[in-house]
């Protein structure tokens, strides 16, 4: 089918609405990578089998990630006229029992996570209600989505459809308002108007740099040279970050629609999506979406019958982190070694094959249709003065609610960690949060009220980056954290320029010394000196920001470095060369738990008699320390 | 014609020139390692870094071999910041190649005698001149960089003899540290042999670039 008119879109929208909200009960499994990793596929198969076997009048559907990855696999039930209920940590056996509920039985409150009375359509700004009568109270023990702490403060713009649609069904995307915006843009707007709208919205690049998107588009539009290229950077590689993957898997059409709008505004007819090959599901979903878009005339020679032409090619990255850097990405697209080049002449002037090229990342592109649909004023009403809109963060590390959250810019770290994230597990103290990936830095507990936006994070010595947020508790050693990131960068530096290749290696060497008790006076100053060389001398942003994890931990946790260097001890008890374990005979009850836990057979003792630990055999894994209930294991 | 200031000296340059070329044109010296006038610039060694202030007032450190001249640009080739950066770069390179005369010499000129890092025993500084000469002048594309980061090195495909090597010796000629050599009728970089040459081929190379002894005389 070819979509040429609004009526054609309407017809698909009707199909989509039927599929989203069918007349019979629908049970949906969250099947993004996070869900599948915890067993969602088995859950889906079990449900399908059961429905088939019992000939139940139930639709078994799949969707992407709604963000609450901590409690995956998630399954939700939507029965006509009733509230939608989400269930957590589903196994195939449990999920099958849920089918009773879809057939009218009472919801299983113990398994439920939250409930929804309806959903909002961000694009059309309409709300739909699942329940016929809003006043109908019931299921009160199950918290409401809107009041559920994890979701309450979120504003889902880029993630608007993730977890709500089946990304393989283009009609569901259209039913959520998708591609109507494209039709409006292509038929009612001039390219300059689109650019102006994006400029006014204040949208800044979500991939790390935070460059104003509209300004970039304008430069590319006005740059000399043809053809012009539009590129989507889907080479997400920061440790602990998976915002883009979720959108690629859960809502690929939002990226495609954003890219077509961008191409129209810039005057480009050829686009590329550079996606890392480690994202097989994302690539699969993206391929399906592109094929559908081509079939429906949303890509190709005559988009929506307007005569505008644009095509998108997927290019798979080979696993180099540095290829997320725009010039290295373009070199890789050209088939060359993925090494960055100097950007004294910007890529919007001379990028891919020396032609004007506009590159934005996945999340930025996914924001574009929303801005074009709702307008710049709406978008800029969210966020802070210089950071507009909402930003997706992947909240990971020592946090109760691991997941993806999209929050309005300007919300404080405290709200993110305590309210949305549910605080630190095991009553431990919050120590620091690492933002911005390997280019970012660690923000300490005393800055927990920092409002999160581009400028505030940079001022604190970190950066927004692409949105990784790694929460660390009191048992984290900051020297070890710095060493981890520097090790990552040492592996991932392309090795072209001297500061990055040699400097990061030397930083790692020094940190390794410090963490193994070989640190010397002057090491901190030497690290700072290498930091200067990297910042001023490195060729690309990977190198020039590479010292941030080190410099920010020195800035906020200098005493911890000093303890390692001068005191030869690791206050957090992480650096194994600097700690020893022993057993306090006064406290030890001889329960034997540590004996069982020790993988090195270093602990011996008679039952109910104080045990002893052989430091020669001890591998300092800390297992005994973790299992002892009587505080008898001493770590020094 | 573009007018810019380098080290407080007002000079003229042609549109499209780099800062390095503009400086060299009027005899202002900027140290380089990975630059050769016959090859495309790379910006890998960063030794030619200079401080620029653009007309808009933006101050930053750039690689002069790549940075295009612009009207009203103010360039400092030897500011305190630049000296500190170059010293740091030379210290890193000297720790990598402590036996290289060229590196020792340059480092000494900048005041670096003993690096504060563990010493390695590399000869190659990975400036990439050999790869560029092989691509751009000889058009043989016989050698390239392989791997990345700290594992990066210059090699022929699969560490084998370079099938497309024409034996011109350009890589050895252009190598600033003498890491690539023609020895025992072989073009080699340490243990890696790129090409075995016939005596006639060696003679041809020597006619073109001079003998090893002559090269040593030149320093």
């Amino acid at each position: 089918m070819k979509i040429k008119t609004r009526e054609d879109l309407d017809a698909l929208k009707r199909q989509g609405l039927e599929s989203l909200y069918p007349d019979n009960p629908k049970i949906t499994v969250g099947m993004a990578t996070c869900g599948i990793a915890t067993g969602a596929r088995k859950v889906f198969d079990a449900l399908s089998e059961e429905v088939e076997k019992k000939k139940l009048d139930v639709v078994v559907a799949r969707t992407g990630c709604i963000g609450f990855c901590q409690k995956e696999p998630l399954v939700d039930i939507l029965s006509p006229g009733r509230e939608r209920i989400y269930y957590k940590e589903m196994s195939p056996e449990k999920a099958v029992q849920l089918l009773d509920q879809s057939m009218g039985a009472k919801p299983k409150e113990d398994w439920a996570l939250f409930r929804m009375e309806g959903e909002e359509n961000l694009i059309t700004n309409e709300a739909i209600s699942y329940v016929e009568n809003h006043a109908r109270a019931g299921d009160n023990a199950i918290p409401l989505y809107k009041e559920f702490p994890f979701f309450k403060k979120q504003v889902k713009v880029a993630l608007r459809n993730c977890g709500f649609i089946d990304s393989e069904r283009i009609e569901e995307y259209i039913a959520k308002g998708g591609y109507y915006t494209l039709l409006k843009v292509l038929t009612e707007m001039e390219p300059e108007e689109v650019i102006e709208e994006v400029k006014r919205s204040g949208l800044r690049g979500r991939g790390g740099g935070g460059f104003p998107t509209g300004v970039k588009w304008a430069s590319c539009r006005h740059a000399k040279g043809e053809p012009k290229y539009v590129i989507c950077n889907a080479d997400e590689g920061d440790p602990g970050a998976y915002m883009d993957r979720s959108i690629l898997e859960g809502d690929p059409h939002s990226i495609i629609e954003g890219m077509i709008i961008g191409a129209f505004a810039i005057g480009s007819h050829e686009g590329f999506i550079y996606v890392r090959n480690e994202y097989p599901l994302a690539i699969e979903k993206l391929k399906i979406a592109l094929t559908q878009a081509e079939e429906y005339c949303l890509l190709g020679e005559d988009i929506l019958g307007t005569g505008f032409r644009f095509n998108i090619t997927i290019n798979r990255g080979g696993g180099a982190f540095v290829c997320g850097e725009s010039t290295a990405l373009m070199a890789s697209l050209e088939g060359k070694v993925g090494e960055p080049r100097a950007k004294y002449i910007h890529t919007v002037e001379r990028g891919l094959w020396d032609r004007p090229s506009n590159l934005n990342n996945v999340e930025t592109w996914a924001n574009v249709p929303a801005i074009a649909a709702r307008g710049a004023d709406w978008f800029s009403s969210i966020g802070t003065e210089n950071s507009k809109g909402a930003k997706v963060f992947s909240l990971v590390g020592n946090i109760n609610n691991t997941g993806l959250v999209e929050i309005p810019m300007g919300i404080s770290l405290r709200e993110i960690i305590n309210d949305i994230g549910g605080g630190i597990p095991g009553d431990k103290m919050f120590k620091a949060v690492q933002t911005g990936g390997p280019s970012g830095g660690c923000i300490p507990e005393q800055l927990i009220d920092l409002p999160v936006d581009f400028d505030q994070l940079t001022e604190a010595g970190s950066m927004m980056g692409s949105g990784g947020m790694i929460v660390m508790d009191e048992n984290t050693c900051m020297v070890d954290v710095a060493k981890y990131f520097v090790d990552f960068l040492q592996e991932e530096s392309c090795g072209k320029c001297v500061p990055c290749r040699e400097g990061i290696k030397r930083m790692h060497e020094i940190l390794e010394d410090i963490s193994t008790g070989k640190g010397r006076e002057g090491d901190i100053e030497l690290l700072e000196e290498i930091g200067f060389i990297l910042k001023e001398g490195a060729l690309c942003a990977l190198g020039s920001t590479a010292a941030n994890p080190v410099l920010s931990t020195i800035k906020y946790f200098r005493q911890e470095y000093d303890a390692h260097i001068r005191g030869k001890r690791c206050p957090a008890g992480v650096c194994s060369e600097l700690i020893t374990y022993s057993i306090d005979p006064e406290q030890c009850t001889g329960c034997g738990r540590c004996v069982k836990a020790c993988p090195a057979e270093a602990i011996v003792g008679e039952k109910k008699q104080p045990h002893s630990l052989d430091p020669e055999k001890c591998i300092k894994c800390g297992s005994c320390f973790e299992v002892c209930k009587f505080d008898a294991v001493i770590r020094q | 014609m573009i007018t810019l200031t380098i080290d407080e000296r007002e000079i003229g340059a042609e549109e499209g020139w780099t800062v390095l070329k503009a400086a060299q044109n009027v005899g202002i010296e900027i140290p380089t390692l990975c630059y050769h006038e016959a090859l495309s610039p790379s910006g890998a060694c960063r030794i030619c870094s200079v401080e620029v202030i653009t007309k808009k007032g933006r101050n930053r450190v750039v690689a002069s071999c790549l940075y295009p001249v612009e009207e009203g640009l103010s360039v400092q080739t030897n500011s305190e910041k630049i000296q500190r950066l170059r010293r740091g770069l030379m210290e890193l390179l000297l720790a990598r190649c402590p036996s290289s005369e060229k590196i020792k010499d340059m480092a000494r000129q900048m005041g670096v005698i003993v690096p504060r890092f563990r010493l390695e025993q590399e000869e190659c500084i990975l400036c990439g001149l050999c790869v560029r000469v092989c691509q751009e002048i000889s058009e043989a594309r016989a050698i390239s960089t392989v791997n990345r980061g700290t594992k990066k090195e210059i090699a022929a495909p699969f560490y084998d003899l370079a099938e497309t090597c024409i034996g011109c010796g350009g890589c050895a000629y252009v190598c600033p540290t003498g890491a690539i050599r023609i020895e025992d009728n072989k073009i080699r970089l340490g243990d890696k042999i790129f090409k075995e040459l016939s005596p006639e081929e060696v003679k041809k190379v020597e006619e073109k670039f001079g003998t090893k002894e002559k090269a040593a005389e030149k320093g």
Side-chain angles (χ1 to χ4, degrees):
Chain A
M1 175 183 173
K2 291 195 187 308
I3 308 174
K4 298 269 184 188
T5 62
R6 178 169 289 270
E7 287 67 40
D8 296 340
L9 269 177
D10 288 342
L12 271 169
K13 178 183 171 180
R14 279 191 295 275
Q15 281 182 34
L17 288 171
E18 276 168 34
S19 158
L20 281 173
Y21 319 110
D23 292 336
N24 48 347
K26 175 176 164 180
I27 186 160
T28 311
V29 185
M31 289 182 74
T33 294
C34 47
I36 290 170
T38 48
R41 208 180 295 256
K42 281 185 186 147
V43 171
F44 182 85
D45 291 345
L47 285 168
S48 304
E49 262 175 48
E50 186 77 0
V51 166
E52 173 77 10
K53 200 168 78 190
K54 295 197 174 156
K55 303 268 181 278
L56 299 175
D57 181 29
V58 175
V59 180
V60 182
R62 73 183 95 199
T63 186
C65 170
I66 199 169
F68 204 32
C69 310
Q70 183 77 39
K71 301 288 180 191
E72 297 269 16
L74 294 180
V75 171
D76 77 82
I77 293 177
L78 179 65
S79 300
R82 298 174 65 176
E83 288 173 319
R84 187 174 202 153
I85 299 174
Y86 282 78
Y87 294 94
K88 63 189 176 186
E89 294 166 334
M90 282 293 111
S91 62
E93 297 74 25
K94 279 165 127 182
V96 166
Q97 292 180 49
L98 288 180
L99 284 168
D100 298 339
Q101 193 238 307
S102 69
M103 303 311 287
K106 211 175 157 326
K108 292 202 179 293
E109 288 181 3
D110 297 351
W111 298 355
L113 191 60
F114 59 89
R115 66 193 159 105
M116 286 177 103
E117 291 174 323
E119 63 189 74
E120 271 154 36
N121 187 329
L122 183 103
I123 298 292
T124 60
N125 195 22
E126 290 162 353
I128 66 143
S129 178
Y130 302 137
V131 277
E132 268 115 39
N133 180 1
H134 250 305
R136 201 182 67 92
D139 312 327
N140 272 343
I142 308 171
L144 266 171
Y145 174 82
K146 279 189 218 157
E147 288 154 19
F148 195 65
F150 184 77
F151 294 109
K152 197 175 166 185
K153 291 183 176 171
Q154 292 198 45
V155 176
K156 295 198 174 202
V157 182
L159 296 179
R160 57 191 176 274
N161 292 328
C162 288
F164 292 101
I165 63 168
D166 179 348
S167 66
E168 292 187 22
R169 292 175 179 266
I170 190 171
E171 63 273 23
E172 292 192 359
Y173 178 72
I174 291 169
K176 295 285 277 179
Y179 290 116
Y180 279 93
T181 316
L182 177 65
L183 184 69
K184 182 181 93 173
V185 166
L186 294 184
T187 55
E188 295 170 23
M189 290 176 88
E190 292 297 322
E192 297 284 0
E193 276 180 81
V194 181
I195 290 178
E196 200 44 42
E197 201 66 16
V198 177
K199 263 191 195 169
R200 274 204 318 118
S201 75
L203 176 67
R204 292 171 67 174
R206 276 8 185 189
F211 192 81
T213 306
V215 176
K216 198 189 242 185
W217 289 16
S219 307
C220 194
R221 176 166 183 82
H222 299 132
K224 290 190 193 85
E226 290 287 336
K228 288 177 175 154
Y229 297 109
V230 161
I231 302 166
C232 171
N233 185 349
D235 196 48
E236 179 174 60
D238 288 357
Y242 57 105
M243 300 75 51
D244 294 349
R245 188 189 74 204
S246 183
I247 301 172
L248 289 159
E249 291 175 352
D251 195 18
H253 283 290
S254 68
I255 304 162
I256 297 170
E257 189 178 3
M259 286 179 75
I260 308 170
I261 293 171
F264 172 74
I266 289 159
S268 161
H269 304 291
E270 201 168 350
F272 295 91
I273 300 177
Y274 188 94
V275 51
R276 60 189 306 204
N277 206 29
E278 294 93 328
Y279 280 178
L281 188 65
I283 295 170
E284 189 188 315
K285 301 281 183 187
L286 204 50
K287 274 186 181 164
I288 293 168
L290 283 176
T291 311
Q292 285 173 341
E294 284 160 11
E295 276 170 15
Y296 286 101
C297 236
L298 297 160
L299 282 171
E301 295 305 303
D302 182 19
I303 294 172
L304 291 168
T306 62
F308 179 66
R309 68 186 163 84
F310 183 63
N311 285 297
I312 296 177
T313 311
I314 298 179
N315 205 295
R316 290 175 299 165
F321 175 72
V322 73
C323 284
E325 196 279 340
S326 60
T327 58
L329 186 151
M330 289 178 201
S332 176
L333 267 178
E334 291 174 12
K336 295 179 185 153
V337 177
E339 285 178 355
R341 63 160 177 79
K343 282 202 255 190
Y344 305 141
I345 298 165
H346 296 298
T347 50
V348 287
E349 305 272 340
R350 274 175 24 208
L352 187 60
W353 290 297
D354 272 344
R355 297 290 184 273
S357 306
N358 182 90
L359 176 140
N360 291 116
N361 101 314
V362 166
E363 192 186 329
T364 313
W365 287 121
N367 269 290
V368 168
I371 292 168
R374 297 284 298 274
D377 293 333
W378 162 77
F379 190 80
S380 61
S381 71
I382 310 165
T384 61
E385 195 185 344
N386 291 317
S387 302
K388 298 299 185 191
K391 173 80 192 82
V392 187
F393 288 95
S394 64
L395 202 51
V396 298
N398 304 127
I399 186 100
N400 277 316
N401 302 336
T402 297
L404 281 186
V405 297
E406 187 165 12
I407 44 169
M409 299 268 196
I411 196 169
S412 74
L413 279 171
R414 185 189 296 278
E415 288 170 278
I416 298 173
I417 293 161
N418 290 348
D419 301 346
I420 298 173
I424 314 296
D427 292 329
K428 288 190 180 150
M429 297 281 288
F430 166 68
K431 184 166 183 178
V433 59
Q434 208 279 349
T435 71
S439 299
C442 292
I443 300 168
E445 199 271 332
Q446 64 263 33
L447 294 180
I448 194 169
D449 288 311
L450 189 81
V452 173
D453 73 7
F454 284 106
D455 308 321
Q456 297 278 351
L457 287 175
T458 306
E459 211 168 289
S462 182
M463 66 188 283
M464 177 79 79
S466 65
M469 205 172 254
I470 304 171
V471 182
M472 294 173 276
D473 69 17
E474 57 188 299
N475 291 358
T476 314
C477 166
M478 301 318 283
V479 176
D480 189 60
V481 168
K483 195 173 81 172
Y484 167 80
F485 280 104
V486 169
D487 189 36
F488 176 88
L489 287 165
Q490 170 177 260
E491 289 283 321
E492 296 297 341
S493 159
C494 82
K496 179 177 176 178
C497 77
V498 172
C500 189
R501 184 187 66 236
E502 305 295 329
I504 295 175
K505 176 172 72 186
R506 298 310 183 173
M507 276 211 294
H508 187 260
E509 205 171 88
I510 297 166
L511 289 168
E512 180 70 32
D513 279 352
I514 294 175
S515 66
T516 52
K518 294 189 240 80
R520 291 171 301 185
E521 286 296 326
D523 275 356
I524 293 179
E525 291 69 24
L526 194 51
L527 285 170
E528 285 171 335
E529 189 60 22
I530 301 172
F532 164 81
I533 298 164
L534 279 161
K535 181 167 175 279
E536 298 296 342
L539 188 151
C540 80
L542 185 149
S544 64
T545 58
N548 283 354
V550 181
L551 298 180
S552 67
T553 46
I554 291 176
K555 181 175 172 188
Y556 296 117
F557 301 94
R558 198 181 180 107
Q559 73 289 358
E560 218 168 313
Y561 277 83
D562 286 337
H564 283 74
I565 295 169
R566 295 187 190 143
K568 307 292 175 206
R569 57 184 189 87
C570 173
V574 172
C575 299
S576 60
E577 305 265 338
L578 301 182
I579 48 174
T580 53
Y581 288 93
S582 57
I583 291 172
D584 180 357
E586 299 286 312
Q587 301 293 327
C588 181
T589 62
C591 73
R593 287 173 69 92
C594 57
V595 180
K596 278 196 197 119
C598 178
E601 295 178 352
I603 303 174
V604 289
E606 299 275 316
K607 254 207 162 136
K608 299 201 175 156
Q609 294 297 317
H611 289 4
S612 65
L613 187 152
D614 181 355
E616 294 290 307
K617 283 188 182 167
C618 176
I619 57 165
K620 297 171 184 173
C621 67
S623 299
C624 53
F625 186 81
E626 293 294 325
V627 297
C628 181
K629 286 183 170 175
F630 307 99
D631 293 333
V633 178
I634 304 161
R635 179 162 69 191
Q636 276 169 324
Chain B
M1 201 67 172
I2 283 169
T3 311
L4 69 156
T5 317
I6 302 185
D7 296 340
E8 323 304 333
R9 222 174 115 186
E10 199 166 279
I11 62 158
E14 278 176 37
E15 172 103 43
W17 279 12
T18 62
V19 167
L20 179 65
K21 183 159 184 188
Q24 287 175 337
N25 191 49
V26 294
I28 297 173
E29 253 186 68
I30 299 174
T32 62
L33 260 176
C34 73
Y35 175 80
H36 193 287
E37 57 186 358
L39 301 170
S40 64
S42 148
C45 76
R46 319 308 284 175
I47 292 293
C48 74
S49 292
V50 295
E51 232 182 313
V52 296
I53 303 170
T54 63
K55 240 163 84 176
K56 284 184 191 162
R58 189 171 173 208
N59 183 338
R60 61 172 174 161
V61 174
V62 299
S64 63
C65 68
L66 285 164
Y67 197 84
V69 290
E70 50 192 58
E71 190 61 43
L73 191 74
S74 165
V75 183
Q76 294 283 333
T77 68
N78 211 16
S79 64
E80 216 168 284
K81 196 181 210 177
I82 292 300
Q83 288 183 23
R84 181 177 164 197
L85 175 61
R86 287 195 193 129
R87 268 199 309 274
L89 293 168
M90 286 319 298
E91 185 174 358
L92 289 169
L93 283 174
L94 187 60
R96 178 185 172 92
C97 308
S99 311
S100 162
E101 290 304 324
K102 168 91 178 174
I103 298 299
K104 274 199 280 191
D105 222 43
M106 271 183 87
R108 197 180 311 118
Q109 281 172 31
M110 291 173 198
V112 181
I113 310 293
V114 184
R116 288 167 287 180
F117 310 112
R118 291 199 185 96
L119 300 184
E120 294 174 355
Q121 287 301 334
E122 298 287 339
E123 288 182 286
C124 170
I125 56 166
L126 288 166
C127 66
L129 279 169
C130 51
V131 176
R132 277 176 280 150
V133 83
C134 192
Q135 261 190 24
E136 297 169 18
I137 307 293
S138 318
E139 294 185 0
R141 293 178 167 76
I143 51 171
S144 69
T145 60
V146 296
N147 299 325
R148 65 168 181 251
T150 50
K151 298 190 181 76
K152 203 180 195 83
E153 59 180 317
I154 308 291
F158 308 107
Y159 299 96
D160 217 334
L161 287 174
E163 267 181 41
T164 59
C165 176
I166 55 170
C168 70
C171 52
Y173 172 74
V174 83
C175 179
T177 61
I180 300 183
R181 284 190 282 272
I182 300 177
E183 261 175 9
D184 312 326
N185 295 351
K186 291 181 185 85
I187 304 180
R188 64 193 308 162
L189 170 56
D191 296 339
K192 288 170 284 193
I193 296 162
F194 298 155
K195 173 90 171 173
E196 290 172 351
L197 301 171
S198 66
E200 293 76 45
E201 285 172 321
V202 176
K203 223 176 125 202
K204 256 168 87 180
V205 172
E206 285 178 351
E207 274 165 17
K208 211 186 314 171
F209 299 133
T211 60
K212 207 169 69 179
E213 289 70 34
K214 274 192 191 156
E217 276 169 33
K218 276 198 299 181

